[in-house]
Structure formats: structure tokens, C-alpha cells
């Protein structure tokens, strides 16, 4: 395993060393800058996809805006009272899981068998501890179980019946799978299955907010701790125990006080292959980019180049917020460090 | 979301821009250097942990050496005949899965219920396509099914019964769970469960090659394509549908022709939280480090600082090989670009 040694390579290696130590000292500089303000902030998303104004009634749009506002205010109130970013993220996601509007918890999309299977994950930026659950059928709020996996077990990921058995041992109630079912999702499944019968090769339909969808939150608390969480029902008509990016640390969720907190939504397979959530943190850490530069470089650059669609919400320790996506729309909103609330759905920022 | 604008920060940002463009041009330089040679190479691992010479008979040591040699020669022969790195990785891992010596396939560790549950993943560095399977009970060679998920499905991860149903639909035979069971692993489970009865709080025992263990391979083919794969039975006495890092792209397995191919082994929870396999690639891509520098910085630096134990095998497009670990030993070996074979088990390189 000898290295080829040419003069040109030597100069190249010398420059690399300069660059490495430059990066090292810049790292110190960046850390000095990254002392937390006393600011608090929270952002949420409710999925990205083909979300177009002319296909949405005013009532529907208002319902999405109201529910995202409720989730943001609930999480922000936790932060305002001095609570942790983990508590804020959990509070916001629980509201989105309980709403039939979003593809998570009650109202999640149906598998090919007409059942609901839920995934979620959460990560604590203060020590990079994490918890994730996959393939749940009887847990009302998967984000709460992901958090119990993080805090009450030595594991990071638990799946299926085993995860639900763990929940029961900790005293969590199970709910019947029917709790999650909504008429809207039954109709959607029937429609997809009719389309597949007409065109059996079309089993990999283009991404669509009707089919994909996720909820997520990122937050910064008074102690300067970041957290991120994500929850989903996966893709409509899914088979074969498919697991998407939402329970995958590094793909669907990532948080580290030294860089950023990220929650992803979109065509999960591309987010896994691109390690999208961690890629943003890595560009900040090793490349010296700002949150905004890194989030855009990953979503508009690397993800788009792979053919992947979706977006992220991301926050750094100064409470800067980035919400890039490459789909026609993404349900998203924030209450920033100045206390200003904003809800946006379409590409034009409205 | 305005940025605070102070003179000191402006200078900091100016330096970051310099650093960024420095990194950018160095990146071009690195890519120019990364044109593939006609070289081929392969490396394998069989797990990291408390592997000590004075606790191993000469016969046992020879058995491990022989089996790793067989796996390397099998994969290398694929490469020598012009086959792909994916085929070489698969061929090498199948031999380790079929051997009762390693914690993968036949001879994998047992769950708390005395059954075997297997995970695996594979990634193609040429296009970053990937496949993974988790919680298999009836698939003789999980690495083969991971590859079918990559090549024959639109998904990346499939779990449990769903994954086995997919296998059946593609004509793969199922084997009874008893195929995987060996007397050695039954005794090990009984011993762990007896120890837990004596000390019930000791459910999170320190990592140990008796309990953890994984097999994996990385390879470079004549077309300059990298591939990586990993396969495991997880941890002995595991419960709750625990999933480790082996089926997690970015944690247990990663491959990208632009940086490196990596297969991990160790205490999986830390590898997931640290996104270890992708972190090595990110340090190379954004930080300009060499394969050896990046692999060591991640394992001896970041993983060790988190309290995680284990190691990786990693290869770049020039066929450089790095095999850092922070445990007493790691079963490992390679046939390098000069055709030289080496097998090592202990820390001293023997």
C-alpha cells in the first residue's frame, strides 16, 4: 500500500495540509462564533411534493396553515418557558401526527394491504443521541416511541412487533390500526391500485404529495441545544416492508450542536443514498459553509443531480433557518429568533 | 432571518470563502488525481472486538485466516477476470456468511428468543445505488437479497416478512431458521442469559467479539468502480427488533467512486449516530483528506471521542486501503493493487 510519490503530488499534499489546518483553525473560529445567543426558534414541515395553488381550495390551504401554526406555537411555548428543544420538537410533531391532514400518525397513507405502518426518528444535538422506530402499527405517536428508544434503551433503531413490545413494557398504550385510517387515504389507495391495474408497469409512480409525505421539526432552545425529529407513514401502496429515510439517522433526521439540526421530506430512497441530512452538517463542518449555503448545495445541487426530489428544514445554533426544496411546494413554517411566525406552502414563498 | 453583521464576522466569512474555494480547487485537483488505474483490489473484515492472541488457539486462528483468505481469493478472482466490484464484494461476503466462524448467515448470534435475525447492505460506488435488508429469518445469504433490493426494486431498505416475500417473488429459496443455528451460538446465548440472571442490570454489556460481529468487503474493479457490502446477525441476546448499523447506508456501508468504499464493524449504535461510513467520505470530499487520514480521523478521533468501539475497512479509487479500529483486534485482510495478500487479526498487525 505504498503511495505513488511524484513532485506534483507532493505539492498537492502540501496544499492539502495547509487546507486541513486552515480548516482546523477555521473550525475553532467557527466554534467561537457558534456560542449560542439566548435566542429560541422552531421550524416545521408537513411534506414536499406536487403542491400547486390552483389545485388547492382556500379552505384546504387554510386548514394546513392553521395546523402548522398550532404545531409551531405549541413547540415555541415549550421553548419560551425554558423547555428543551427535544420537548419542543416532540410537541410540534405530535400535533402534526394527530392531524389527518399529514402523512404521519392518524391520516397516514395506507400500505398495499390497506393497513398503516409508521416510522419516526429523533436526535439530540447536545450529545448526538438518537432514537428511531420503523414499521409500527399500533403506536399513536411514533415520535414519542422514538424518543423512548433514545432515552430508555441502549439501542437507536427498533422495528415492528419488537418496538411495540418495548413500548408496552414501558407502559405505553397500543391503539388499533383502524385509529390511523381515514376515508381520504382509503380512496387514495383504491385510486392508486386502479391505476396500477390499468398500467401494471407503473408501480414506481413519480413522487407526489398524495403518495409521499412526512412531518418534521427542528428547534433551538435557551441552552443552545438543537434537536430534530421526523415522522411518516411512508409511501402509499407500499409493499415488502419498505423502510424510507424517516427513521434513518443521517438521511431523514440529524442534529449536532456543532453544525445544525435537519429534518428531511421527499423521495426517501434518494435521501438514504445521498445521506442528505448529514451531508448538510458535513458541508458546514468540513467545508466551512454556512447553514444556508450547505442546505442549498445539498438540495439544489447534489440531491437534484441524483434525480431526487424533496426538501429539508434546517437550523443552526444561531437560530438561522433554511428550508430549501426542489418540488413545486413544501408545507413549511417557522417562528424565528425574533419571534416572527411565517407559514409557506408554494414555491413563491406564499 | 437576518445575519448578525460585525466586522470580525465579515473577516471570518471572507476566510471561509477563501477556504471554500480553496477546497473547491483542491477538489478538482483531487479528482484529477483520482482517475482510476487499471489496478484491482479487495479487502474484507470479519468483525472487531476483544480479540486477543492469548485467548485463541492456533487452530482457531488458522481457521479464521484460511476462511478470510478463501473469501479474498474468491472476490479477487472475480476482479481478475474483469468482473465488477459488486460481484467481487458479493462473492467474498457469501463465503463469510456461509462459514460458522463469523457473525453473519450460518453461525450468526442468537436473539433473546434463540432465533437468528440477519441484516445486510450493499452499495455501488458508480451511481450510489444501494440495497439493504433487515430482520431476515429465512434467507441463506442476506447480501444476495440486499443486492436484489438494489437492482430489482425501487426501494433501498426492506425489512422482515416483507423482504422475504420479495425474495420469494424473485424465486429465491427460503431456508428454515434452524439452518443458521450452531451449537457454539446456543452455548453463548445460554451463558449471556445466565450472566444476566446473576446481574440483571447488566443488560448492556461491553462490546465483545463474542457478542458483536459483522462481515464486510470493499473492492475496486478494472473499470475503476468501487463497491462495499456488510452482513451481520447483530448482537447476541438482542430484543425488540433492534436494528444495528449494518443495513444503514452511511453508517455500516457506503460507496462512491468520487471518494471511497467503506464497510463498518463494531458497536452499531455509535456507528449510526456518528454516520461513520459516510463521515469518512465527507472528510475526503469536503476536507480534502486522504483515505488514510480520513479513516483514522473518524475511527481514532470522532468515534473514539463518542465512546464508540469498532473499525472499518476502506478503499479509494487508487486502490489505497485503510483498516483502522480502536478495539484489541479486528479480523481483516486484503489483496492489494500489487496482488499481495495480507491477513491480520490482532492490533500488532499480525
Amino acid at each position: 500500500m505504498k503511495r505513488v510519490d511524484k513532485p506534483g503530488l507532493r505539492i498537492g499534499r502540501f496544499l492539502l495540509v495547509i487546507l486541513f489546518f486552515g480548516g482546523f483553525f477555521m473550525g475553532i473560529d467557527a466554534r467561537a462564533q457558534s456560542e449560542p445567543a439566548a435566542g429560541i426558534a422552531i421550524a416545521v414541515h408537513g411534506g414536499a411534493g406536487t403542491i400547486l395553488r390552483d389545485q388547492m381550495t382556500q379552505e384546504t390551504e387554510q386548514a394546513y396553515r392553521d395546523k402548522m401554526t398550532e404545531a409551531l406555537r405549541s413547540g415555541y411555548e415549550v421553548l419560551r418557558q425554558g423547555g428543551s428543544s427535544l420537548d419542543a420538537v416532540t410537541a410540534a410533531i405530535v400535533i402534526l401526527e394527530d392531524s389527518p391532514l399529514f402523512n404521519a400518525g392518524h391520516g397516514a397513507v395506507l400500505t398495499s394491504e390497506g393497513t398503516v405502518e409508521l416510522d419516526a426518528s429523533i436526535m439530540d444535538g447536545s450529545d448526538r443521541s438518537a432514537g428511531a422506530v420503523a414499521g409500527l402499527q399500533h403506536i399513536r405517536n411514533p415520535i414519542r416511541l422514538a424518543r423512548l428508544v433514545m432515552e430508555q434503551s441502549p439501542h437507536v433503531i427498533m422495528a415492528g412487533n419488537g418496538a411495540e413490545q418495548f413500548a408496552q413494557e414501558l407502559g405505553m398504550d397500543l391503539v388499533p390500526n383502524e385509529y390511523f385510517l381515514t376515508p381520504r387515504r382509503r380512496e387514495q389507495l383504491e385510486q392508486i391500485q386502479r391505476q396500477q391495474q390499468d398500467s401494471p408497469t407503473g408501480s414506481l409512480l413519480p413522487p407526489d404529495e398524495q403518495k409521499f409525505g412526512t412531518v418534521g421539526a427542528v428547534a433551538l432552545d435557551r441552552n443552545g441545544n438543537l434537536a430534530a425529529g421526523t415522522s411518516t407513514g411512508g409511501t402509499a401502496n407500499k409493499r415488502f416492508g419498505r423502510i424510507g429515510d424517516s427513521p434513518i439517522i443521517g438521511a431523514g433526521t440529524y442534529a449536532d450542536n456543532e453544525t445544525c439540526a435537519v429534518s428531511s421530506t421527499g423521495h426517501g430512497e434518494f435521501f438514504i443514498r445521498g445521506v442528505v441530512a448529514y451531508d448538510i452538517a458535513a458541508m458546514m463542518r468540513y467545508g466551512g459553509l454556512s447553514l444556508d449555503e450547505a442546505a442549498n448545495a445539498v438540495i439544489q445541487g447534489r440531491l437534484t443531480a441524483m434525480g431526487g426530489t424533496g426538501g429539508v428544514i434546517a437550523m443552526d445554533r444561531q437560530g438561522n433557518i433554511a428550508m430549501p426544496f426542489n418540488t413545486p411546494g413544501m408545507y413549511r413554517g417557522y417562528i424565528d429568533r425574533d419571534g416572527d411566525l411565517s407559514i409557506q406552502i408554494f414555491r413563491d414563498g406564499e
Side-chain angles (χ1 to χ4, degrees), chain A:
Chain A
M1 289 190 289
K2 285 170 294 183
R3 287 208 190 81
V4 181
D5 218 19
K6 296 180 193 168
L9 289 185
R10 273 202 201 160
I11 293 168
R13 291 195 64 78
F14 175 67
L15 288 173
L16 282 173
V17 167
I18 297 264
L19 186 70
F20 177 58
F21 283 100
F24 181 71
F25 290 119
M26 290 309 303
I28 291 174
D29 185 30
R31 265 193 292 280
Q33 288 173 26
S34 81
E35 284 308 303
I40 56 174
I42 185 166
V44 299
H45 70 78
T50 311
I51 306 166
L52 299 167
R53 183 178 280 113
D54 58 13
Q55 291 176 8
M56 192 179 285
T57 67
Q58 229 173 353
E59 292 72 33
T60 303
E61 183 181 333
Q62 195 57 49
Y64 278 101
R65 289 182 181 276
D66 290 349
K67 192 52 75 174
M68 283 193 283
T69 302
E70 183 188 340
L72 285 168
R73 291 215 165 114
S74 168
Y76 193 79
E77 186 57 22
V78 170
L79 298 170
R80 210 186 51 75
Q81 293 184 5
S84 73
S85 51
L86 280 173
D87 283 339
V89 160
T90 306
I93 290 177
V94 161
I95 286 171
L96 301 173
E97 284 178 339
D98 288 348
S99 162
L101 293 171
F102 302 97
N103 179 21
H106 177 64
V109 300
L110 308 192
T111 68
S112 62
E113 296 182 349
T115 57
V116 168
E117 283 188 14
L118 304 166
D119 305 336
S121 63
I122 194 164
M123 190 159 183
D124 180 347
S126 71
D127 62 358
R128 286 184 286 158
S129 60
V133 286
L136 304 181
Q137 300 207 29
H138 305 97
I139 304 294
R140 176 173 164 155
N141 292 112
I143 195 70
R144 287 197 203 277
L145 185 55
R147 186 148 172 205
L148 288 176
V149 170
M150 176 173 76
E151 294 178 343
Q152 306 286 331
S153 91
H155 301 319
V156 171
I157 313 179
M158 293 186 190
N161 294 338
E164 298 194 341
Q165 191 189 332
F166 173 74
Q168 280 184 291
E169 291 193 10
L170 294 184
M172 192 177 257
D173 290 335
L174 301 196
V175 297
N177 198 251
E178 290 70 32
Y179 160 76
F180 302 106
L181 303 182
T182 57
R184 174 186 170 213
R185 299 300 190 186
R186 278 191 217 269
E187 285 162 28
Q188 174 192 357
L189 179 65
E190 284 164 17
Q191 191 188 346
I192 292 172
Q193 292 184 336
R194 269 197 309 273
Q195 283 171 352
Q196 280 199 341
Q197 280 184 326
D198 295 347
S199 149
T201 54
S203 60
L204 181 59
L205 299 168
D208 177 350
E209 75 90 20
Q210 292 287 339
K211 285 186 61 244
F212 293 88
T214 314
V215 306
V218 294
L220 172 69
D221 65 29
R222 283 206 200 288
N223 293 322
N225 289 324
L226 291 167
T230 309
S231 181
T232 190
T235 61
N237 199 33
K238 72 182 172 187
R239 295 180 68 194
F240 301 135
R242 179 257 187 192
I243 296 178
D245 63 316
S246 298
I248 306 300
I249 299 303
T253 299
Y254 189 74
D256 182 355
N257 283 357
E258 290 189 27
T259 49
C260 60
V262 180
S263 172
S264 307
T265 178
H267 192 153
E269 277 70 16
F270 290 93
F271 282 71
I272 295 172
R273 293 166 50 201
V275 200
V276 163
Y278 182 67
D279 204 23
I280 295 171
M283 276 198 188
M284 293 176 70
R285 186 177 182 95
Y286 305 127
L289 270 64
S290 72
L291 178 83
D292 197 54
E293 289 163 345
N296 275 288
V298 170
I299 298 302
Q300 313 299 359
R302 296 197 77 190
L303 179 71
T304 303
M306 282 181 92
T309 53
V312 296
I313 54 171
M315 186 177 290
D316 68 15
R317 215 181 181 184
Q318 287 75 51
N320 292 308
I321 299 165
M323 305 193 295
F325 57 97
N326 67 3
T327 45
M330 179 167 85
Y331 298 106
R332 63 203 187 277
Y334 59 78
I335 301 178
D336 66 14
R337 60 193 168 206
D338 299 324
D340 294 334
L341 181 144
S342 169
I343 304 280
Q344 297 164 38
I345 298 177
F346 308 107
R347 193 189 282 276
D348 57 14
E350 288 297 306

